[in-house]
Amino acid sequence: MNHPRRDTTEPSPQPRPPWAGAATLAPGPTVPGGPSAPTPPRLAWGKGQGQLQAVSVWTERVPDRGEDAEPFVAHHWESGQGLLAVFDGSGGAGAAPAWRAPDGTSRTGAWVGARTARLATECWFHDVTRGHQGAEPQSLHTYLKYFLAKAPQRHSKIGGTMRRQLPTTLAGVHYQVARGEAEIGLRPLWAGDSRAYALLPESGLHVLTRDHTRESDALELLRSDPPMTNLVSADRDFSVDTQYLTLRLPCVLVAATDGFFGYVHTPADFEHLLLHTLQQAGGAAEWAHLLRREVESFTADDASLALVTLGYQDFDELRSQFAARLAKLTDQQSRGRPSVLTAAADPAVDPHGTAARIRAWQDRSWQAYREDYESYLPHAPQELV
């Protein structure tokens, strides 16, 4: 469990009300999509510079009501440090109104919490790159607590153990690349059930975080929706968990909310989504556009993703390095895959047992995929209840 650092130094605040909406995103082309009639806001951009490609995707199911904050992606060239992170406001725990915009629009605690956490994380990373803070989770925890205490909130008359003030998940990766080195140091940082990953050409997608839920099996988490045991909030203690590891370059780092990985049929499907859109794309901006289009076709939630590739000479090399992995994954996951992947659980409605065949295929897929996927899975953290 990580506790806030006991010192008298306050974070250097850089408030950006009202309320921390659309903080800073790295520059890149915005790819429009959809008709001109009112549609959910969406953002998809990609940008490459040297051996770094960055991609960001953000989309809302309901216009201007999404509880995912915009993803954060930044790289500090002088120090070789970078950070990618996503934030998913917890609508169930934070459904009560917390702030009213100047135009009269009411914002929930989940909406404010996600954007406040994003602003706090941005300021924390700014101070880390200046050498004013270490990159350990205790210092990020201090920034989150400080900014959440300053954010607008209303204390609801509705009580209960599930109610939270400004609740949000957080998942990201702080990394550092040393000049001339073939390895990269990684520190995943998370609270809640958003996730961070490493994507490698030889072994595919590796989860770097462990959901703060009672259930930890990725396939079972697709079949159920257990409550979180820890998430960032203004009124309860929380932890920011971490692990430290090194990977050889080149590699791809990913952070995503459950709108991306929580509505697929198997854990392997999320990797397939990343790789097949990569192979179709001609550059980082088009990859972002394809990812946004794909996730909007199946998700039932807001969805956000941040992605950074490190060590590839250009986008063509990145794409070619993952072509063999996509072919292997496609072959592995297609074996025994039912032609129809939706079926009622009621045997009277599903007389041919399609649901049972789907479940059996999911189990086989997961067993074939699980070892590599979980090879960097951290040990179970001490939970907060």
Side-chain angles (χ1 to χ4, degrees):
M1 184 188 305
N2 299 310
H3 298 283
R5 188 177 48 189
R6 306 296 183 184
D7 62 22
T8 58
T9 303
E10 289 187 339
S12 54
Q14 299 177 13
R16 199 177 287 103
W19 188 253
T24 56
L25 280 173
T30 297
V31 182
S36 57
T39 56
R42 66 277 305 268
L43 173 77
W45 63 259
K47 186 175 179 66
Q49 183 173 350
Q51 295 188 4
L52 183 147
Q53 306 277 335
V55 164
S56 175
V57 179
W58 173 74
T59 182
E60 293 183 321
R61 297 298 294 175
V62 179
D64 209 27
R65 288 291 187 274
E67 290 170 341
D68 280 23
E70 297 88 340
F72 180 79
V73 188
H75 182 86
H76 188 248
W77 291 100
E78 292 182 8
S79 65
Q81 297 180 78
L83 178 69
L84 58 157
V86 293
F87 314 85
D88 180 3
S90 181
W99 176 70
R100 187 172 296 277
D103 64 0
T105 303
S106 179
R107 303 297 188 186
T108 66
W111 190 97
V112 174
R115 284 150 181 83
T116 303
R118 187 194 188 281
L119 177 60
T121 302
E122 178 182 359
C123 294
W124 171 78
F125 179 66
H126 180 263
D127 284 352
V128 168
T129 60
R130 296 168 62 193
H132 295 174
Q133 290 290 336
E136 71 280 355
Q138 290 90 342
S139 66
L140 176 57
H141 185 284
T142 300
Y143 277 63
L144 291 166
K145 293 290 285 186
Y146 177 83
F147 277 85
L148 287 166
K150 301 293 185 181
Q153 53 185 296
R154 296 179 184 175
H155 295 281
S156 174
K157 296 180 180 179
I158 303 175
T161 58
M162 299 301 294
R163 190 68 60 180
R164 297 286 190 275
Q165 293 290 328
L166 313 185
T168 183
T169 72
L170 179 157
V173 184
H174 174 266
Y175 64 86
Q176 183 153 21
V177 183
R179 292 181 181 178
E181 297 294 329
E183 290 186 338
I184 180 173
L186 304 178
R187 188 184 292 277
L189 300 155
W190 76 98
D193 62 358
S194 295
R195 297 177 188 169
Y197 304 87
L199 180 62
L200 307 177
E202 302 82 9
S203 51
L205 194 66
H206 303 264
V207 67
L208 305 179
T209 57
R210 179 185 289 270
D211 290 9
H212 286 124
T213 56
R214 299 292 185 189
E215 177 61 68
S216 61
D217 182 284
L219 179 57
E220 290 304 317
L221 287 167
L222 287 176
R223 293 169 171 168
S224 62
D225 187 21
M228 283 178 279
T229 57
N230 174 55
L231 74 166
V232 176
S233 66
D235 63 332
R236 307 284 181 91
D237 195 12
F238 64 89
S239 66
V240 178
D241 278 305
T242 193
Q243 63 167 326
Y244 183 81
L245 62 153
T246 60
L247 291 178
R248 291 190 62 81
L249 291 172
C251 68
V252 179
L253 304 176
V254 184
T257 62
D258 62 356
F260 262 94
F261 59 77
Y263 294 87
V264 294
H265 296 292
T266 71
D269 284 343
F270 179 46
E271 181 186 344
H272 193 273
L273 168 68
L274 296 171
L275 295 186
H276 90 80
T277 51
L278 169 63
Q279 294 303 315
Q280 294 173 349
E286 188 177 4
W287 191 13
H289 171 66
L290 292 171
L291 283 167
R292 192 212 76 203
R293 187 179 69 183
E294 287 286 324
V295 74
E296 288 180 342
S297 73
F298 67 79
T299 192
D301 199 357
D302 307 320
S304 52
L305 175 145
L307 182 153
V308 171
T309 78
L310 297 160
Y312 297 95
Q313 293 297 322
D314 51 33
F315 195 83
D316 288 340
E317 183 190 12
L318 168 69
R319 190 173 49 206
S320 65
Q321 287 289 314
F322 281 96
R325 171 63 188 177
L326 175 60
K328 178 180 178 181
L329 181 65
T330 301
D331 177 68
Q332 181 186 77
Q333 297 302 310
S334 64
R335 297 172 190 170
R337 185 183 184 99
S339 57
V340 177
L341 286 175
T342 56
D346 185 351
V349 182
D350 180 28
H352 301 293
T354 303
R357 291 200 302 274
I358 292 172
R359 191 177 185 90
W361 166 74
Q362 289 175 315
D363 290 339
R364 292 193 300 272
S365 166
W366 176 225
Q367 291 308 312
Y369 187 71
R370 184 172 188 170
E371 183 176 0
D372 284 339
Y373 176 83
E374 292 186 337
S375 58
Y376 295 109
L377 179 70
H379 296 300
Q382 184 175 355
E383 295 178 339
L384 296 177
V385 179

